[in-house]
Amino acid sequence: MTILVTGATGSVGRLLVDELVEAGAPVRALTVNPAKAALPEQVEVAKGYLGKPETLPEALKGIETVYLAPLAAKVDDFVKLAKEAGVRRVVALSGSNADDPTEGSSGVDYAIIEKAVREGGFDWTFLRPGAFMNNTLGWAETIKAERVVREAYPESRMTPIDLADIAAVAAHVILTEGHVGKKHTLSGPTAISQREQVAAISAALGEEVVFQELTREEANKQWAAAGIPAEIAEWLLDGFAYFTENPDKPTGVVQELTGRPGVTYAEWAAANVEAFR
């Protein structure tokens, strides 16, 4: 049966399309602009977007399994239309904070998505990554201009994951049995501090990048100047503070399900070094 990948040109969805194509699975990709999507020729392309429910009935025709990109605002519309179309299985991208979300955090939307999908009666699987390695691309501007990163909580130790590992797990879950009703919490293979991440970027560049530690107040001002809402900044800083006192631990799920170690942050930094050059 053809698999519908929503958000097929998004950060995870696009990588998932390639994983499924490589495995020989039939794929229908939902994208806003098929002409610009540059998807593999084997892929059936459907024009549409989760945020425009009127585009979904045609995309859902004949579909049994859906990879659901996260869009809480329209998830109820998706559930209704997917049930009407006869969709049996939904593999949804969620987050590690979905069970007990803090107000103002991304977990609020993930909880909404999971609840809607569960109550929709599908055979569901939730993929729950924590921090993305790609988040540190936010450092690129000051690294390129000054070879410096300014953040609070340099010793905050988390387990960021590469987007390609999320896609690999998603493909495995879609193509194999035994994952119905599972909540897979995904992480990178090692815990790493913010200071160590900067050191890895420095090593990839072959040039020193300085970590300049900010106070929490200074970090709040910096993020406010970047347009980050105060409640989100507080949630993020609370997270960094928590993982300073309670270092995160890898879950091992990527290796368990894919049979290979996940990408390390040093490997990610080397692969993405041009973003910081």
Side-chain angles (χ1 to χ4, degrees), residues 222-248:
Q222 176 175 274
W223 288 4
I228 296 175
E231 63 274 15
I232 294 178
E234 284 296 327
W235 166 64
L236 290 168
L237 288 167
D238 284 346
F240 289 134
Y242 176 83
F243 287 116
T244 299
E245 298 299 323
N246 306 274
D248 202 7

Side-chain angles (χ1 to χ4, degrees), residues 18 49 69 90 105 155 159 177 185 196 201 234 244 254 259 277:
D18 286 344
Y49 170 51
V90 174
S105 76
E155 306 310 325
T159 55
E177 298 297 324
T185 301
E196 289 168 341
I201 295 170
E234 284 296 327
T244 299
V254 171
R277 184 78 67 188

Side-chain angles (χ1 to χ4, degrees), residues 104-127:
S105 76
S106 59
V108 173
D109 280 356
Y110 294 139
I112 290 169
I113 291 166
E114 290 192 5
K115 182 174 184 289
V117 171
R118 282 197 311 271
E119 293 181 352
F122 305 104
D123 290 342
W124 56 264
T125 308
F126 300 142
L127 306 181

Side-chain angles (χ1 to χ4, degrees), residues 22-23 59 99 122 124 131 137 168 180 188 194 231 233 269 275-276:
E22 186 176 348
D99 275 338
F122 305 104
W124 56 264
L137 290 172
V180 174
Q194 292 201 96
E231 63 274 15
F276 304 102

